[in-house]
């Protein structure tokens, strides 16, 4: 194929008009554009939809750590791997609300509570509902990630006032089965349907740097962008390799490819928050700056995520100052 033909095909694929149905060919054509063209396009779309210098701050809390029956190959909290993590019981409601208050006072506008469950048990629901109500009363947006939900549990959380439910598809359908065997891709989509049907906002993204191919990243974003409504929030995690897990020695993703993934998410889901999520401790300031330029507009703040490290407030506010970024206000 000549370069000219290739270019023509690429630009026609890239400029076609969308509802929200993307083909893999269109998404691949974007991902493979010259880097400057890709970033220019992503930044242009970003500016049409968001204030380019504002970044939303979310804070995570692990409300139930470790002992998880699922076998996700990346996770420190699975009982199937020897990561050395000590499992804990579900945290007291009052403690969760006290932690959320601290996060709010440090500038976070969204509080995301995560539990290492396959799914919540009926006996857990009362406590998680109370957590949602307590954190919402502080004036924060609430998010939870508790594993799979059935329709009734979704309704219960929605009625309690939960704003977002986080449930990641993590990678392509093809690569999913290489990473997790205790559930499948369709299970993930089913929970997402319940979350949507019960009126909550969807937070759904994935992990890159798990040894996948570029096409797996492109496919993952295509699935997300083609949902009946794209997720309002799209976390892109860079694998934090955890000793003792099957992915401890996975080949890391090239920083440029990571930035391409962020840009593609921005272009395909123009109105969604794209969160530069796990893995920032292993990123240079310059890499993070490129991610913000490519359209990332949300981060997790604080020095821990669920179990792994995160840059912490001083470092992040230093970077924001140097880049002229402002936290988004409540
Ligand atoms: N148990 C629930 C579930 O899996 O849906 C919620 C908690 S789980 C820890 C939430 C998400 O964190 C996962 O879907 C994955 O995307 C991300 N995650 C977990 N371990 C990670 C790691 N080592 N590096 C990067 N992201 C990770
Ligand atoms: C998401 O996509 N990333 C967050 C949140 N959703 C729950 C979790 C990142 C976890 C990183 C590994 C750890 O802290 O154990
Ligand atoms: Fe369990 Fe979630 Fe970790 Fe998978 S990612 S092992 S479901 S806590």
């Amino acid at each position: 194929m000549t370069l000219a033909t290739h270019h023509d095909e690429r630009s026609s694929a890239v400029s076609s008009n969308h509802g929200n149905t993307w083909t893999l060919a269109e998404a691949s054509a974007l991902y493979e554009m010259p880097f400057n063209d890709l970033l220019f396009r992503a930044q242009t779309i970003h500016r049409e939809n968001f204030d380019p210098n504002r970044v939303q701050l979310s804070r995570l809390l692990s409300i139930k750590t470790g002992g998880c029956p699922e076998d996700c190959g990346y996770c420190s909290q699975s009982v199937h791997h020897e990561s050395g993590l000590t499992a804990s019981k579900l945290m007291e409601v009052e403690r969760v609300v006290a932690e959320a208050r601290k996060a709010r006072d440090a500038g976070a506008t969204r509080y995301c509570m995560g539990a290492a469950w396959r799914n919540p048990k009926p006996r857990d629901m009362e406590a998680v509902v109370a957590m949602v109500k307590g954190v919402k009363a502080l004036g924060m947006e609430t998010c939870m990630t508790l594993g799979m939900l059935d329709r009734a549990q979704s309704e219960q959380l929605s009625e309690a006032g939960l704003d977002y439910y986080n449930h990641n598809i993590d990678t392509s359908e093809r690569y999913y089965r290489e990473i997790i065997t205790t559930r499948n891709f369709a299970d993930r989509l089913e929970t997402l349907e319940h979350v949507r049907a019960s009126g909550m906002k969807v937070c759904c993204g994935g992990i890159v740097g798990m040894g996948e191919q570029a096409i797996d990243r492109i496919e993952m974003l295509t699935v997300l962008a083609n949902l009946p409504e794209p997720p309002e929030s799209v976390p892109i995690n860079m694998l934090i390799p955890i000793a003792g897990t099957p992915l401890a020695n996975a080949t890391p993703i090239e920083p440029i490819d990571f930035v391409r993934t962020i840009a593609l998410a921005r272009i395909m889901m123009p109105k969604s928050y794209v969160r530069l999520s796990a893995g920032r401790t292993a990123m240079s300031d310059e890499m993070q700056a490129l991610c913000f330029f490519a359209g990332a507009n949300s981060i997790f703040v604080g020095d821990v995520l669920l179990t792994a490290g995160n840059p912490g407030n001083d470092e992040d506010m230093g970077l924001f100052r140097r880049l002229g970024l402002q936290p988004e206000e409540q």
Side-chain angles (χ1 to χ4, degrees):
M1 187 192 291
T2 65
L3 196 59
T5 322
H6 183 237
H7 180 77
D8 289 347
E9 277 179 9
R10 184 176 60 210
S11 41
S12 66
V14 166
S15 60
S16 60
N17 198 14
H18 287 270
N20 56 8
T21 312
W22 290 86
T23 66
L24 259 188
E26 290 168 338
S28 301
L30 281 168
Y31 187 89
E32 281 154 22
M33 275 170 101
F35 191 69
N36 286 344
D37 292 343
L38 176 63
L39 259 65
F40 181 69
R41 201 180 173 97
Q43 173 68 199
T44 304
I45 290 176
H46 190 48
R47 279 166 189 265
E48 287 165 7
N49 294 284
F50 290 99
D51 178 339
N53 299 310
R54 292 252 174 212
V55 174
Q56 190 279 330
L57 309 184
S58 293
R59 174 81 207 218
L60 271 168
L61 176 70
S62 180
I63 58 170
K64 196 272 169 205
T65 305
C68 184
E70 304 270 36
D71 70 352
C72 312
Y74 45 76
C75 189
S76 62
Q77 306 197 66
S78 164
V79 288
H80 302 265
H81 323 314
E82 297 285 338
S83 69
L85 191 77
T86 319
S88 71
K89 288 211 224 120
L90 184 61
M91 219 180 243
E92 297 285 328
V93 177
E94 293 69 30
R95 229 186 109 198
V96 173
V97 177
E99 291 296 325
R101 186 176 290 113
K102 282 194 238 163
R104 182 196 64 184
D105 295 346
T109 60
R110 189 180 308 166
Y111 205 61
C112 178
M113 295 156 267
W117 288 328
R118 175 171 165 81
N119 52 265
K121 306 268 178 311
R123 63 163 190 267
D124 302 318
M125 290 308 289
E126 195 184 321
V128 294
V129 160
M131 289 173 194
V132 173
K133 291 184 175 162
V135 175
K136 243 190 123 63
L138 300 172
M140 300 181 89
E141 286 185 310
T142 49
C143 178
M144 279 188 163
T145 181
L146 314 172
M148 295 185 272
L149 296 182
D150 61 27
R151 183 61 202 270
Q153 290 172 323
S154 257
E155 291 292 339
Q156 248 182 299
L157 292 170
S158 180
E159 274 160 29
L162 187 62
D163 297 297
Y164 288 82
Y165 196 76
N166 167 247
H167 200 65
N168 292 340
I169 59 169
D170 279 333
T171 186
S172 67
E173 184 165 13
R174 178 194 73 83
Y175 202 56
Y176 201 80
R177 33 183 110 84
E178 314 233 349
I179 303 295
I180 300 149
T181 70
T182 48
R183 57 168 193 263
N184 60 37
F185 202 74
D187 293 329
R188 278 327 243 191
L189 296 177
E190 199 181 309
T191 292
L192 292 172
E193 276 175 32
H194 295 319
V195 169
R196 203 36 113 193
S198 59
M200 289 185 282
K201 292 184 193 157
V202 171
C203 172
C204 183
I207 313 182
V208 298
M210 298 194 292
E212 76 285 345
Q213 308 288 307
I215 193 66
D216 297 303
R217 306 193 269 272
I218 295 165
E219 236 182 275
M220 170 180 92
L221 294 178
T222 304
V223 170
L224 294 177
N226 286 345
L227 287 172
E229 270 184 88
E232 282 78 4
S233 166
V234 181
I236 306 293
N237 298 279
M238 186 171 83
L239 178 74
I240 302 178
I242 312 268
T245 64
L247 292 178
N249 300 309
T251 314
I253 184 172
E254 292 270 340
I256 299 292
D257 289 336
F258 187 87
V259 179
R260 283 184 183 275
T261 307
I262 297 277
L264 189 59
R266 167 52 62 228
I267 295 169
M268 292 173 77
M269 293 170 274
K271 297 194 184 304
S272 306
Y273 279 82
V274 175
R275 183 171 311 112
L276 179 56
S277 301
R280 290 194 302 113
T281 49
M283 294 179 197
S284 67
D285 289 350
E286 294 80 3
M287 179 174 169
Q288 293 188 61
L290 275 177
C291 290
F292 294 129
F293 188 73
N297 60 346
S298 172
I299 57 168
F300 285 122
V301 290
D303 46 20
V304 269
L305 294 162
L306 289 172
T307 70
N310 197 48
N313 198 53
D314 292 354
E315 213 173 298
D316 282 341
M317 290 310 114
L319 181 59
F320 273 36
R321 221 174 5 260
R322 279 176 293 140
L323 298 177
L325 294 175
Q326 302 276 337
E328 197 175 88
E329 280 152 23
Q330 177 77 306

